[in-house]
Amino acid sequence: MQELHGLKDEDLRGLAPEAVAAPAQQMLQRLRLQDGEIKFKDAKIEKITLQIARLKAWGSARRPRR
């Protein structure tokens, strides 16, 4: 079976359900892995965003008022 990256709609048409099952399972595994990676990266971005906000607040609190 072809690599998932290069798989096209036409490649799946006319195949028996048993032949489609393996690529479908691979795609689901890949989606689950990507979902976990996206959630991790989102959490990391949120953490960094909060750190930036804290640093900005800390920096503005240190500035003398004119």
Side-chain angles (χ1 to χ4, degrees):
M1 187 56 66
Q2 292 182 353
E3 191 67 30
L4 288 178
H5 188 67
L7 200 60
K8 297 179 183 167
D9 292 347
E10 307 88 52
D11 298 333
L12 298 175
R13 289 191 186 123
L15 291 178
E18 301 83 29
V20 178
Q25 287 176 338
Q26 288 177 346
M27 285 183 214
L28 285 173
Q29 287 175 343
R30 189 173 195 172
L31 286 172
R32 286 185 191 113
L33 177 64
Q34 288 175 343
D35 184 50
E37 290 172 353
I38 290 170
K39 286 179 182 177
F40 174 77
K41 288 178 182 180
D42 282 348
K44 195 143 184 123
I45 289 170
E46 186 175 347
K47 179 181 176 184
I48 292 170
T49 302
L50 289 172
Q51 287 176 338
I52 290 171
R54 279 191 215 121
L55 288 171
K56 283 182 178 181
W58 180 71
S60 65
R62 290 189 55 200
R63 283 192 204 125
R65 296 191 181 198
R66 295 180 182 189

